[in-house]
Amino acid sequence: MIKNKYLAFLTLVFFIYNTSSISLENKILVKIEDQIITSLDVINEYNYLVAMNPSIKNSKKEDILKFSKRSIMQERIKKIEIENNFNNPKIPQKIQDQILKNIYSKIGFTNLYDFKEYLDNNDINFENVKNKLAIEALWNELILIKFSSKVKINKKKLRDKIENNNNKFLKSLLLSEIYFEIKNINELDNKFMEISQVIKNKGFDFAALEYSLSTTSNFGGKLDWINESSLNKNIIAAISNLEINEFTKPIVVPGGFLILKINEIKNTKIKIDVEKEFKKLEDFEKNYQLNQYSKIYFNRIKKDLKISEL
């Protein structure tokens, strides 16, 4: 059974896509074990990514097709591993409804009816969207089952952090992320310059689709509202002097680097509910650690699969 508190956690780290051009005629492009990916699959993924990220609509179609190919390959690899670990995997209706609400809220809809109509107007099959979200949720559940016992939380440290901030202004941030890796640390400055240029010329959403190895890339790197107190000290230091719409330099995180952009900031004076805030911090820390295990696990299973690009 999938647990609500883990639905939001972001699985990270996938592989680099092939940058060859993609023909729009319907033909097989990739074989991953017994799974095939056709040019029609890539076009459907293209429609989905554009619908979830309207700001990239005017970008070059060939660029978005490359992102779409990478995205659908990642999804198929996860699907294979899910089927290897679960018999007849399904998502409970209540959880499915919550996932859908989280998704359509991110792009500005307040109800499922309007979201379905939006998908229909963009030639996107609603059942396909449900299947895509189910795969991601089942992948999260698989990571939870395999690695939750390895998660270590310093509960005293979390409680002390909350008590020290009690009855003060609570600062909340709406962030977007780009997570990337490099083979050599000497490449970092050039890579950041390259990503920065794309952000300035085409927007953060487009840059997230092009460079980010996180599943949030499919939604322009957008994250949910996060309390500043939930973030580690390195991230707080990196964003402390940023204004809205500015982004950080690369932040070192396990396995790679993170660029964060501030979309909105809220300051609210409240007396913190210690237990409620502790639960949020605890879940955030668990999700953060599970992200790292997810990256490692994905890379490991990918190496064991037979992948042929035709």
Side-chain angles (χ1 to χ4, degrees):
M1 181 70 67
I2 296 176
K3 300 179 181 179
N4 277 318
K5 62 184 178 181
Y6 295 109
L7 284 175
F9 103 73
L10 311 170
T11 53
L12 301 175
V13 180
F14 303 105
F15 59 100
I16 305 301
Y17 53 80
N18 183 300
T19 56
S20 60
S21 61
I22 300 174
S23 172
L24 295 184
E25 67 176 282
N26 192 23
K27 64 179 183 180
I28 296 174
L29 300 177
V30 184
K31 287 185 178 180
I32 306 175
E33 298 292 341
D34 61 347
Q35 299 273 329
I36 64 168
I37 296 173
T38 68
S39 52
L40 181 59
D41 292 327
V42 174
I43 293 170
N44 288 336
E45 188 72 3
Y46 169 94
N47 291 336
Y48 175 73
L49 292 180
V50 171
M52 296 301 107
N53 301 274
S55 64
I56 68 167
K57 190 176 296 184
N58 296 324
S59 301
K60 289 183 180 178
K61 189 170 185 178
E62 63 190 50
D63 289 335
I64 306 176
L65 284 171
K66 292 175 186 176
F67 311 151
S68 303
K69 183 182 177 184
R70 177 186 67 179
S71 177
I72 200 71
M73 288 175 71
Q74 293 167 179
E75 183 180 282
R76 293 299 170 83
I77 290 173
K78 290 181 177 181
K79 184 173 184 286
I80 289 169
E81 188 63 12
I82 288 166
E83 291 174 348
N84 287 339
N85 284 271
F86 295 120
N87 292 322
N88 192 29
K90 291 184 179 179
I91 304 296
Q93 187 62 47
K94 183 178 179 180
I95 302 302
Q96 189 178 89
D97 292 343
Q98 183 179 334
I99 294 171
L100 281 167
K101 185 175 181 179
N102 289 343
I103 295 302
Y104 67 66
S105 296
K106 280 187 176 182
I107 55 175
F109 292 99
T110 57
N111 61 75
L112 185 58
Y113 177 84
D114 288 343
F115 180 57
K116 285 182 177 180
E117 189 174 62
Y118 173 71
L119 294 177
D120 188 55
N121 291 338
N122 285 277
D123 297 321
I124 300 168
N125 184 283
F126 176 66
E127 291 302 316
N128 289 344
V129 172
K130 286 170 60 178
N131 289 337
K132 292 172 73 62
L133 299 178
I135 289 171
E136 194 60 39
L138 288 165
W139 172 263
N140 290 350
E141 175 69 359
L142 178 61
I143 298 301
L144 178 63
I145 291 169
K146 287 184 174 291
F147 299 106
S148 61
S149 64
K150 297 181 182 294
V151 172
K152 306 298 179 186
I153 305 291
N154 187 330
K155 295 186 177 182
K156 183 180 184 307
K157 185 176 179 180
L158 291 184
R159 287 190 181 279
D160 289 345
K161 190 173 185 179
I162 295 167
E163 292 289 353
N164 291 336
N165 286 285
N166 203 3
N167 207 23
K168 296 182 180 180
F169 277 99
L170 179 66
K171 186 175 183 179
S172 300
L173 304 162
L174 189 59
L175 303 173
S176 293
E177 66 169 357
I178 295 174
Y179 172 85
F180 67 97
E181 297 174 332
I182 52 176
K183 294 180 180 178
N184 190 312
I185 192 63
N186 295 327
E187 302 172 5
L188 181 57
D189 288 344
N190 288 337
K191 191 69 174 179
F192 177 58
M193 189 179 301
E194 179 184 334
I195 295 173
S196 298
Q197 200 61 38
V198 172
I199 293 173
K200 291 173 183 175
N201 292 336
K202 298 184 178 181
F204 199 94
D205 289 7
F206 184 93
L209 274 171
E210 181 167 1
Y211 293 103
S212 183
L213 301 176
S214 166
T215 49
T216 60
S217 66
N218 286 356
F219 305 98
K222 294 180 180 67
L223 300 170
D224 292 326
W225 282 97
I226 299 172
N227 292 341
E228 187 180 53
S229 60
S230 301
L231 303 172
N232 69 45
K233 61 182 180 181
N234 292 334
I235 291 179
I236 291 174
I239 65 176
S240 61
N241 294 319
L242 292 185
E243 301 292 337
I244 291 175
N245 292 325
E246 293 182 339
F247 57 90
T248 67
K249 293 181 179 179
I251 304 165
V252 179
V253 295
F257 298 88
L258 196 63
I259 298 172
L260 292 173
K261 176 195 170 192
I262 297 182
N263 299 312
E264 293 183 50
I265 299 173
K266 289 192 301 189
N267 287 290
T268 310
K269 188 169 184 178
I270 60 170
K271 183 170 179 62
I272 297 173
D273 183 328
V274 175
E275 289 306 315
K276 184 177 179 180
E277 192 64 20
F278 172 77
K279 184 69 168 54
K280 288 167 64 177
L281 282 178
E282 184 181 35
D283 287 349
F284 183 88
E285 182 60 30
K286 284 179 180 178
N287 292 341
Y288 179 80
Q289 292 184 38
L290 288 168
N291 287 337
Q292 313 314 312
Y293 288 116
S294 177
K295 292 184 294 183
I296 295 167
Y297 187 63
F298 185 94
N299 284 336
R300 188 168 77 224
I301 64 172
K302 179 192 69 177
K303 290 177 182 177
D304 294 333
L305 295 175
K306 183 178 179 181
I307 302 174
S308 304
E309 299 196 48
L310 307 177

